[in-house]
Amino acid sequence: MKRPNLQVALDQSDLPNALKDVAAVGDIVDILEVGTILCLQAGEEAIRCIRALYPDKKIVADTKCADAGSTVAKNCHDAGADWMTVICCATIPTMKAAAKEVEEVQVELYGDWTFEQAQTWLDAGITQAIYHQSRDALLAGETWGEKDLNKVQKLIDMGFRVSVTGGLDVETLTLFKNLEVYTFITGRGITAAADPRRAAQAFQDEIKHIWG
């Protein structure tokens, strides 16, 4: 079973603080995410700055694109992003248009998506999916459970490379020990820690401990 990646989500509301945090952990994590909030606040400049700092890292623009896939994806690509996200309710033409402009598109799973829909994404050539526990759901008291693990496993069995995110901490990782997770994505689990660099290393150490 392949070792999962670790992705830091930079969801700060301003570029200076995002750059401060990425400078602390960018060499430890595998993938750098320009989070949705940062995309809205700082736009392409955030992608360009992070690309300048880390020319060899994978960078994701978490746009959660719902329309104008080609334009949004081209702008992200031109700024330096390798991948971008589309929301699961986006149309197949939007997803396909985005996929022509970036290296890969990831489908963000929110709300009442179905496995029948997921098959249409695979049929369209989209092979990355991101399974969420949303921030609002976590604040409402929801936690990771068997129903989530079963859905993640089914997506993997279908042929997706599945990333998981939402309220992850180091202790949560063991829940996924029997699953071939592609990437663990965490924002505040690293950036809100007293020592972000130590927190990022703790995630990586636990991933190596579980997956070898």
Side-chain angles (χ1 to χ4, degrees), residues 16-206:
N17 275 311
L19 295 178
K20 176 175 68 70
D21 283 339
V22 77
V25 303
D27 61 322
I28 297 174
V29 303
D30 304 297
I31 302 171
L32 307 172
E33 174 192 323
V34 182
T36 307
I37 294 170
L38 187 59
C39 282
L40 290 170
Q41 296 299 112
E44 292 178 23
E45 188 67 13
I47 302 173
R48 293 184 192 282
C49 288
I50 292 168
R51 173 54 71 204
L53 287 172
Y54 295 97
D56 300 320
K57 290 279 184 177
K58 287 289 184 190
I59 294 178
V60 181
D62 187 17
T63 60
K64 295 183 174 64
C65 182
D67 198 8
S70 179
T71 301
V72 174
K74 186 177 188 308
N75 290 343
C76 291
H77 175 268
D78 290 349
D82 301 290
W83 302 342
M84 66 168 273
T85 64
V86 297
I87 197 71
C88 59
C89 62
T91 65
I92 295 298
T94 293
M95 294 183 185
K96 284 185 172 180
K100 290 180 180 178
E101 302 294 341
V102 290
E103 182 181 311
E104 287 204 55
V105 163
Q106 300 171 302
V107 180
E108 295 259 8
L109 305 181
Y110 278 107
D112 297 323
W113 59 275
T114 67
F115 288 106
E116 288 75 19
Q117 283 177 295
Q119 185 60 54
T120 67
W121 308 328
L122 280 173
D123 293 343
I126 310 297
T127 60
Q128 285 205 57
I130 301 174
Y131 188 92
H132 278 262
Q133 281 280 11
S134 75
R135 179 181 296 190
D136 292 336
L138 291 164
L139 290 173
E142 294 187 25
T143 59
W144 289 95
E146 197 67 28
K147 62 179 177 61
D148 302 299
L149 301 179
N150 289 338
K151 288 180 179 179
V152 170
Q153 184 61 63
K154 184 167 182 178
L155 289 165
I156 293 169
D157 291 342
M158 289 177 71
F160 285 101
R161 285 166 290 152
V162 182
S163 300
V164 296
T165 187
L168 297 177
D169 55 32
V170 172
E171 289 71 28
T172 312
L173 299 183
T174 190
L175 294 173
F176 300 91
K177 63 183 179 180
N178 296 318
L179 278 64
E180 195 168 353
V181 173
Y182 184 58
T183 301
F184 289 106
I185 306 170
T186 183
R188 290 165 296 158
I190 290 175
T191 61
D195 186 337
R197 187 171 182 84
R198 179 176 292 180
Q201 190 60 59
F203 270 97
Q204 285 287 36
D205 290 346
E206 185 66 5

